[in-house]
Structure formats: structure tokens, C-alpha cells
Amino acid sequence: DERYTLLRGVKWIDAIFVYEKDEEQRELLKWLPVDLKFVGGDWKGKTTIGDVPIHYLPRQHEYSSSELRERVKYELHSLPTR
């Protein structure tokens, strides 16, 4: 992922944890000493999990991974069953 690669190159970042579901993030935040959370700029104004300061990363493109997942899910459900 582009954001992961970008963050991996920052010397002040100790670790990067990638998660897919909100529950995974909740579990991580229970035991990790998180100082700052990075999310895509498309999350501005939305509710996030945890009481951690957030830094919004600007989008350098027009696609949204959340939108893509929803389109794929819709297409899969629209396929005829065998």
C-alpha cells in the first residue's frame, strides 16, 4: 500500500500496524502505546476509533479503497448463483 510505504520511510515512526476491521484496531489500541494515528484525508469529519490524536494524510489520487471494496462486494452479490 502506498501509505504504508510512505510511513515506513519516516525515521520517527517506531512501528506501523495494518488492520482490516474495526475490532482489530480496538484490540491494538488496548495494548499499544499509540501517540498519533494516521488516516487518509477522506476520513476528515468521520468518527474514528480510540482517543488518539489523528493526522490526516492527503490523497494523491482519485480512488478510494473503501469505495472499491463496496463496489466489489456489490458486484459479487449481483452475480448469479450456480
Side-chain angles (χ1 to χ4, degrees):
D1 181 65
E2 180 181 326
R3 288 179 275 193
Y4 179 85
T5 303
L6 173 76
L7 293 171
R8 205 174 74 197
V10 178
K11 68 180 180 178
W12 298 284
I13 295 177
D14 298 321
I16 301 167
F17 294 89
V18 179
Y19 55 88
E20 292 188 26
K21 298 181 180 181
D22 290 345
E23 190 55 39
E24 292 174 66
Q25 183 182 173
R26 282 186 190 89
E27 288 302 313
L28 285 169
L29 291 173
K30 284 180 185 177
W31 60 271
L32 285 174
V34 177
D35 298 318
L36 181 63
K37 192 163 86 173
F38 290 85
V39 296
D42 55 323
W43 277 90
K44 279 188 179 177
K46 296 180 183 177
T47 302
T48 59
I49 295 171
D51 187 24
V52 178
I54 297 173
H55 176 78
Y56 297 95
L57 297 171
R59 290 172 58 151
Q60 303 292 324
H61 50 76
E62 292 300 316
Y63 65 87
S64 161
S65 58
S66 299
E67 181 182 318
L68 178 60
R69 281 192 297 274
E70 288 303 312
R71 285 192 346 221
V72 168
K73 192 185 318 178
Y74 173 79
E75 292 296 326
L76 289 175
H77 290 323
S78 299
L79 292 174
T81 55
R82 295 182 189 215

